[in-house]
PDB file of all heavy atoms in Angstrom:
ATOM      1  N   GLY A 218      46.337 -78.359 124.308  1.00  0.00           N
ATOM      2  CA  GLY A 218      46.090 -79.109 125.540  1.00  0.00           C
ATOM      3  C   GLY A 218      47.094 -78.732 126.615  1.00  0.00           C
ATOM      4  O   GLY A 218      46.727 -78.476 127.772  1.00  0.00           O
ATOM      5  N   LEU A 219      48.356 -78.670 126.179  1.00  0.00           N
ATOM      6  CA  LEU A 219      49.426 -78.313 127.124  1.00  0.00           C
ATOM      7  C   LEU A 219      49.214 -76.899 127.672  1.00  0.00           C
ATOM      8  O   LEU A 219      49.345 -76.650 128.869  1.00  0.00           O
ATOM      9  CB  LEU A 219      50.784 -78.396 126.433  1.00  0.00           C
ATOM     10  CG  LEU A 219      51.486 -79.765 126.444  1.00  0.00           C
ATOM     11  CD1 LEU A 219      52.758 -79.718 125.601  1.00  0.00           C
ATOM     12  CD2 LEU A 219      51.818 -80.173 127.892  1.00  0.00           C
ATOM     13  N   LEU A 220      48.900 -75.968 126.736  1.00  0.00           N
ATOM     14  CA  LEU A 220      48.709 -74.575 127.140  1.00  0.00           C
ATOM     15  C   LEU A 220      47.555 -74.441 128.136  1.00  0.00           C
ATOM     16  O   LEU A 220      47.651 -73.743 129.137  1.00  0.00           O
ATOM     17  CB  LEU A 220      48.421 -73.701 125.902  1.00  0.00           C
ATOM     18  CG  LEU A 220      49.626 -73.177 125.118  1.00  0.00           C
ATOM     19  CD1 LEU A 220      49.147 -72.424 123.877  1.00  0.00           C
ATOM     20  CD2 LEU A 220      50.470 -72.242 125.989  1.00  0.00           C
ATOM     21  N   ASN A 221      46.454 -75.154 127.783  1.00  0.00           N
ATOM     22  CA  ASN A 221      45.252 -75.023 128.603  1.00  0.00           C
ATOM     23  C   ASN A 221      45.358 -75.755 129.944  1.00  0.00           C
ATOM     24  O   ASN A 221      44.651 -75.425 130.885  1.00  0.00           O
ATOM     25  CB  ASN A 221      44.022 -75.524 127.848  1.00  0.00           C
ATOM     26  CG  ASN A 221      43.754 -74.635 126.634  1.00  0.00           C
ATOM     27  OD1 ASN A 221      44.201 -73.480 126.596  1.00  0.00           O
ATOM     28  ND2 ASN A 221      43.053 -75.173 125.648  1.00  0.00           N
ATOM     29  N   SER A 222      46.245 -76.751 129.974  1.00  0.00           N
ATOM     30  CA  SER A 222      46.336 -77.554 131.203  1.00  0.00           C
ATOM     31  C   SER A 222      46.975 -76.777 132.358  1.00  0.00           C
ATOM     32  O   SER A 222      46.806 -77.132 133.510  1.00  0.00           O
ATOM     33  CB  SER A 222      47.135 -78.822 130.923  1.00  0.00           C
ATOM     34  OG  SER A 222      48.495 -78.467 130.699  1.00  0.00           O
ATOM     35  N   GLY A 223      47.737 -75.752 131.972  1.00  0.00           N
ATOM     36  CA  GLY A 223      48.423 -74.977 132.990  1.00  0.00           C
ATOM     37  C   GLY A 223      49.630 -75.705 133.557  1.00  0.00           C
ATOM     38  O   GLY A 223      50.233 -75.257 134.543  1.00  0.00           O
ATOM     39  N   SER A 224      50.009 -76.817 132.946  1.00  0.00           N
ATOM     40  CA  SER A 224      51.123 -77.608 133.463  1.00  0.00           C
ATOM     41  C   SER A 224      52.475 -77.021 133.068  1.00  0.00           C
ATOM     42  O   SER A 224      53.491 -77.369 133.637  1.00  0.00           O
ATOM     43  CB  SER A 224      51.016 -79.057 132.981  1.00  0.00           C
ATOM     44  OG  SER A 224      51.075 -79.085 131.574  1.00  0.00           O
ATOM     45  N   VAL A 225      52.450 -76.123 132.024  1.00  0.00           N
ATOM     46  CA  VAL A 225      53.716 -75.488 131.631  1.00  0.00           C
ATOM     47  C   VAL A 225      53.795 -74.130 132.352  1.00  0.00           C
ATOM     48  O   VAL A 225      53.039 -73.212 132.030  1.00  0.00           O
ATOM     49  CB  VAL A 225      53.791 -75.295 130.103  1.00  0.00           C
ATOM     50  CG1 VAL A 225      55.131 -74.670 129.721  1.00  0.00           C
ATOM     51  CG2 VAL A 225      53.593 -76.618 129.385  1.00  0.00           C
ATOM     52  N   GLY A 226      54.691 -74.037 133.271  1.00  0.00           N
ATOM     53  CA  GLY A 226      54.783 -72.813 134.066  1.00  0.00           C
ATOM     54  C   GLY A 226      55.889 -71.905 133.599  1.00  0.00           C
ATOM     55  O   GLY A 226      55.819 -70.683 133.738  1.00  0.00           O
ATOM     56  N   ASP A 227      56.910 -72.492 133.006  1.00  0.00           N
ATOM     57  CA  ASP A 227      58.093 -71.728 132.589  1.00  0.00           C
ATOM     58  C   ASP A 227      57.729 -70.782 131.460  1.00  0.00           C
ATOM     59  O   ASP A 227      57.248 -71.213 130.394  1.00  0.00           O
ATOM     60  CB  ASP A 227      59.170 -72.719 132.133  1.00  0.00           C
ATOM     61  CG  ASP A 227      60.418 -72.004 131.646  1.00  0.00           C
ATOM     62  OD1 ASP A 227      60.642 -70.862 132.080  1.00  0.00           O
ATOM     63  OD2 ASP A 227      61.135 -72.572 130.780  1.00  0.00           O
ATOM     64  N   PRO A 228      57.890 -69.465 131.625  1.00  0.00           N
ATOM     65  CA  PRO A 228      57.482 -68.486 130.609  1.00  0.00           C
ATOM     66  C   PRO A 228      58.194 -68.706 129.266  1.00  0.00           C
ATOM     67  O   PRO A 228      57.594 -68.528 128.212  1.00  0.00           O
ATOM     68  CB  PRO A 228      57.906 -67.140 131.209  1.00  0.00           C
ATOM     69  CG  PRO A 228      58.128 -67.392 132.654  1.00  0.00           C
ATOM     70  CD  PRO A 228      58.459 -68.831 132.825  1.00  0.00           C
ATOM     71  N   LYS A 229      59.445 -69.128 129.336  1.00  0.00           N
ATOM     72  CA  LYS A 229      60.186 -69.356 128.083  1.00  0.00           C
ATOM     73  C   LYS A 229      59.572 -70.518 127.318  1.00  0.00           C
ATOM     74  O   LYS A 229      59.332 -70.443 126.111  1.00  0.00           O
ATOM     75  CB  LYS A 229      61.664 -69.641 128.398  1.00  0.00           C
ATOM     76  CG  LYS A 229      62.555 -69.537 127.173  1.00  0.00           C
ATOM     77  CD  LYS A 229      64.003 -69.798 127.495  1.00  0.00           C
ATOM     78  CE  LYS A 229      64.786 -70.024 126.241  1.00  0.00           C
ATOM     79  NZ  LYS A 229      65.657 -71.180 126.356  1.00  0.00           N
ATOM     80  N   GLN A 230      59.296 -71.563 128.067  1.00  0.00           N
ATOM     81  CA  GLN A 230      58.663 -72.750 127.469  1.00  0.00           C
ATOM     82  C   GLN A 230      57.280 -72.406 126.920  1.00  0.00           C
ATOM     83  O   GLN A 230      56.879 -72.857 125.832  1.00  0.00           O
ATOM     84  CB  GLN A 230      58.504 -73.833 128.535  1.00  0.00           C
ATOM     85  CG  GLN A 230      59.537 -74.958 128.388  1.00  0.00           C
ATOM     86  CD  GLN A 230      59.180 -76.158 129.260  1.00  0.00           C
ATOM     87  OE1 GLN A 230      58.537 -75.993 130.315  1.00  0.00           O
ATOM     88  NE2 GLN A 230      59.597 -77.327 128.854  1.00  0.00           N
ATOM     89  N   LEU A 231      56.585 -71.569 127.688  1.00  0.00           N
ATOM     90  CA  LEU A 231      55.234 -71.157 127.298  1.00  0.00           C
ATOM     91  C   LEU A 231      55.276 -70.353 125.981  1.00  0.00           C
ATOM     92  O   LEU A 231      54.471 -70.555 125.075  1.00  0.00           O
ATOM     93  CB  LEU A 231      54.654 -70.296 128.424  1.00  0.00           C
ATOM     94  CG  LEU A 231      53.152 -70.407 128.682  1.00  0.00           C
ATOM     95  CD1 LEU A 231      52.698 -71.845 128.870  1.00  0.00           C
ATOM     96  CD2 LEU A 231      52.756 -69.542 129.884  1.00  0.00           C
ATOM     97  N   ALA A 232      56.264 -69.448 125.917  1.00  0.00           N
ATOM     98  CA  ALA A 232      56.421 -68.629 124.699  1.00  0.00           C
ATOM     99  C   ALA A 232      56.754 -69.507 123.500  1.00  0.00           C
ATOM    100  O   ALA A 232      56.227 -69.314 122.391  1.00  0.00           O
ATOM    101  CB  ALA A 232      57.514 -67.589 124.909  1.00  0.00           C
ATOM    102  N   GLU A 233      57.614 -70.492 123.731  1.00  0.00           N
ATOM    103  CA  GLU A 233      57.988 -71.423 122.646  1.00  0.00           C
ATOM    104  C   GLU A 233      56.759 -72.191 122.154  1.00  0.00           C
ATOM    105  O   GLU A 233      56.561 -72.381 120.953  1.00  0.00           O
ATOM    106  CB  GLU A 233      59.050 -72.412 123.136  1.00  0.00           C
ATOM    107  CG  GLU A 233      60.471 -71.861 123.015  1.00  0.00           C
ATOM    108  CD  GLU A 233      61.496 -72.760 123.677  1.00  0.00           C
ATOM    109  OE1 GLU A 233      61.118 -73.876 124.128  1.00  0.00           O
ATOM    110  OE2 GLU A 233      62.664 -72.361 123.767  1.00  0.00           O
ATOM    111  N   LEU A 234      55.978 -72.604 123.136  1.00  0.00           N
ATOM    112  CA  LEU A 234      54.773 -73.380 122.813  1.00  0.00           C
ATOM    113  C   LEU A 234      53.796 -72.541 121.986  1.00  0.00           C
ATOM    114  O   LEU A 234      53.233 -73.006 120.974  1.00  0.00           O
ATOM    115  CB  LEU A 234      54.116 -73.813 124.130  1.00  0.00           C
ATOM    116  CG  LEU A 234      53.239 -75.067 124.098  1.00  0.00           C
ATOM    117  CD1 LEU A 234      53.960 -76.255 123.471  1.00  0.00           C
ATOM    118  CD2 LEU A 234      52.775 -75.405 125.516  1.00  0.00           C
TER     119      LEU A 234
END
Side-chain angles (χ1 to χ4, degrees):
L219 272 174
L220 275 176
N221 295 338
S222 69
S224 61
V225 182
D227 178 25
K229 195 179 166 226
Q230 256 192 331
L231 214 52
E233 275 172 6
L234 205 52

